[in-house]
Amino acid sequence: MKRINYFLALSLGLSVLTSCDSFLDVEPKASISDEQTIFDKTSAETALRGVYNAVANSSYYGITFQSIGYLSGDNIQWTGSQSQIQEFINHKVSAENSTISGAWIAIYATINRANQVIAKVPAVTDATLTEALKNPIVGEAYFIRALAYFDLARTWGGVPLITQPTSTPSENSGIKRSTQAETYAQVLKDLDAAEPLLAETVNRYHATRKTVWALKSRYYLYQKDWAKAEEYATKVISDATNYKLLTPYNAFFANNVRGTQESVFEIFYNGTSEINDHRGQWQPQTNGGTRQWAPNDAFVALVNDPLKGGNRSTLVAKDNQSRWYGNLYYRSPGSDPSYVIRIAELYLIRAEARAQQSKLTDAGADVNAVRTRAGLAATTAASKDELLLAVENERKIEFALEPHRWFDLVRTGRAAIVLSITDPNRYLMPIPSVQLQTDKALEQNPGY
């Protein structure tokens, strides 16, 4: 039996999609196989839809990758019986964990589809596919590849860098892992390539130049380049007409809304051919879910504290047995968007970057923008350290059910104190054992 290879698990990554991504087009159009030649305008556009479809996959932003980010933090409890989920909460994830394997495969599947577009679209000679149309197609693929490598780098550290299309499982065997720094460098290289190809427009479901700016801001935050993180966050925040903090907090997700001014980049699911599996994990049985994981007691107390959670208490609700559940994903069937970048994140990135540069008044103003939207009084934090802790605390609540908490605590060096992790090797996830068995060039992360 063929083992799944790290660069795509081609049984998944090269499969023909039977439905489109309607977050790209209103009318459904079938996606092409990654192995099929991109030869004209239609096939190029369809191939790009395949890239976004891979991002939306249940093992990537559909649920699995995101769950690594919030289950590994300190807001969520596991209510089921599968020990592999408890491994994230206990911070003792094994290399055999299927969640880790599924996310790895899905992210590399996304990369391969982006590689197909980047490599093939520029060579298409169809007269109807003008340079003006080619550029955004290629630019969006570069952006998605940057996002994929960013997620790989912050989860596993250095990974194999695959930048050419693959058509067979053996093509990239033997490629060693790059360092984490080299992997992050690939992220920036792809964002720099995407930026001039994309228009400075607004689109909640496609990458644009402004979406690139938002991810660059996050990238520079992780690199501790505070000036650049502030600069790119400001580029997005300055477009106050199109991006703003909506009041109250749940205005960006309640009442079946989507694509609001809160969103910089989100993923669309229609609930039929494209399903977001998140709601089934969070919602209780009475709402048609399984409540496999839920907010823990500490977070319930925190978010319901009117002086800390404010109107963000709408993130949680009680079922008919008085059990708390997460309520960010609630639509049935699963048509909730997945929120990749929200404007609230840009405010808090800028607040952190400004605090690190001792721009304390400006940092406080950004924290207060988020607090005001939550119905809270202005922060009393005044010193640099107080403001950095204020940012951390706001991010903990603001993004409790989104994939930030774990990565925040790791990148700020706070995981040891907050999560009581005594082994720093646990700050990175293990390379899936099936990948190590498949390709002997891969090396496991230390401590696993």
Side-chain angles (χ1 to χ4, degrees):
M1 183 177 72
K2 292 183 179 179
R3 288 193 177 99
I4 297 172
N5 199 285
Y6 67 85
F7 52 85
L8 288 191
L10 292 172
S11 62
L12 293 175
L14 300 182
S15 62
V16 178
L17 299 175
T18 57
S19 63
C20 78
D21 299 300
S22 59
F23 52 84
L24 292 175
D25 280 351
V26 175
E27 292 298 324
K29 297 180 182 178
S31 177
I32 61 172
S33 165
D34 293 334
E35 294 179 293
Q36 182 174 333
T37 302
I38 299 173
F39 61 92
D40 62 4
K41 178 177 179 288
T42 299
S43 59
E45 292 172 340
T46 306
L48 180 62
R49 283 193 291 275
V51 179
Y52 281 94
N53 180 275
V55 180
N57 185 275
S58 62
S59 290
Y60 196 6
Y61 274 90
I63 188 168
T64 300
F65 168 74
Q66 288 207 68
S67 73
I68 295 172
Y70 53 69
L71 290 173
S72 301
D74 54 354
N75 290 326
I76 310 302
Q77 63 175 316
W78 171 244
T79 67
S81 58
Q82 294 181 11
S83 59
Q84 63 147 337
I85 302 300
Q86 191 65 40
E87 288 180 3
F88 293 101
I89 295 170
N90 294 341
H91 309 112
K92 294 182 179 179
V93 181
S94 72
E96 289 73 33
N97 189 291
S98 62
T99 296
I100 290 294
S101 181
W104 176 283
I105 291 166
I107 295 174
Y108 270 107
T110 303
I111 289 169
N112 193 54
R113 292 186 178 181
N115 287 344
Q116 298 286 339
V117 173
I118 292 167
K120 296 177 180 179
V121 168
V124 173
T125 58
D126 183 351
T128 64
L129 186 62
T130 63
E131 288 300 308
L133 295 176
K134 280 184 181 180
N135 285 345
I137 291 174
V138 176
E140 289 178 54
Y142 271 121
F143 171 82
I144 295 299
R145 192 171 75 179
L147 176 66
Y149 275 120
F150 182 87
D151 289 337
L152 286 170
R154 62 177 173 162
T155 306
W156 286 279
V159 298
L161 296 178
I162 313 299
T163 57
Q164 295 299 318
T166 357
S167 57
T168 65
S170 60
E171 284 185 52
N172 289 319
S173 294
I175 296 179
K176 294 185 177 181
R177 296 174 62 186
S178 298
T179 65
Q180 187 177 50
E182 290 168 338
T183 305
Y184 274 127
Q186 182 64 49
V187 173
L188 183 58
K189 183 178 180 180
D190 283 346
L191 290 174
D192 284 343
E195 189 170 353
L197 296 174
L198 297 170
E200 195 175 319
T201 54
V202 175
N203 195 310
R204 316 293 176 186
Y205 309 114
H206 285 266
T208 70
R209 190 174 298 178
K210 293 181 180 181
T211 322
V212 171
W213 292 343
L215 187 54
K216 275 193 171 184
S217 180
R218 185 193 287 177
Y219 164 84
Y220 283 119
L221 182 77
Y222 274 67
Q223 302 308 304
K224 296 180 170 54
D225 187 336
W226 312 122
K228 287 288 189 182
E230 178 187 7
E231 175 189 345
Y232 281 98
T234 299
K235 281 176 173 286
V236 183
I237 293 170
S238 294
D239 185 359
T241 300
N242 292 299
Y243 303 109
K244 62 178 61 177
L245 294 164
L246 300 181
T247 303
Y249 172 78
N250 69 358
F252 76 88
F253 69 89
N255 302 314
N256 295 309
V257 299
R258 66 177 82 238
T260 69
Q261 291 166 302
E262 174 85 21
S263 183
V264 179
F265 182 48
E266 68 182 50
I267 300 169
F268 183 96
Y269 299 84
N270 62 21
T272 54
S273 56
E274 301 128 0
I275 296 175
N276 189 341
D277 292 325
H278 260 109
R279 63 98 50 207
Q281 302 293 329
W282 288 104
Q283 289 292 312
Q285 290 84 348
T286 53
N287 293 346
T290 60
R291 192 179 169 270
Q292 293 292 300
W293 45 67
N296 60 29
D297 292 343
F299 180 72
V300 167
L302 179 66
V303 78
N304 283 318
D305 184 336
L307 299 180
K308 296 177 181 178
N311 58 40
R312 291 176 295 199
S313 59
T314 53
L315 272 177
V316 299
K318 275 186 179 182
D319 67 6
N320 61 350
Q321 299 179 51
S322 293
R323 300 179 304 176
W324 291 98
Y325 62 91
N327 206 33
L328 179 62
Y329 299 97
Y330 60 87
R331 304 172 212 211
S332 183
S335 59
D336 302 279
S338 280
Y339 305 98
V340 182
I341 307 174
R342 292 197 286 114
I343 194 64
E345 182 186 356
L346 277 299
Y347 272 99
L348 291 174
I349 286 175
R350 193 170 70 173
E352 184 174 340
R354 284 173 164 176
Q356 291 285 4
Q357 298 173 87
S358 297
K359 299 179 179 179
L360 304 185
T361 300
D362 290 340
D366 283 335
V367 171
N368 286 334
V370 174
R371 289 179 62 84
T372 298
R373 186 269 287 277
L376 298 171
T379 181
T380 58
S383 70
K384 175 180 176 179
D385 288 345
E386 288 172 344
L387 280 164
L388 289 174
L389 184 58
V391 171
E392 178 183 302
N393 290 338
E394 292 305 320
R395 290 181 68 100
K396 173 181 170 68
I397 302 174
E398 182 76 21
F399 308 118
L401 310 189
E402 297 166 73
H404 292 285
R405 179 62 171 170
W406 164 249
F407 298 115
D408 283 344
L409 293 174
V410 170
R411 69 175 176 79
T412 59
R414 293 267 296 156
I417 296 172
V418 176
L419 302 176
S420 301
I421 299 175
T422 57
D423 182 1
N425 289 322
R426 295 288 165 173
Y427 297 160
L428 293 175
M429 296 295 159
I431 304 299
S433 59
V434 68
Q435 309 304 330
L436 299 173
Q437 295 165 9
T438 301
D439 192 340
K440 300 303 180 184
L442 285 176
E443 295 182 359
Q444 184 56 277
N445 277 326
Y448 290 98

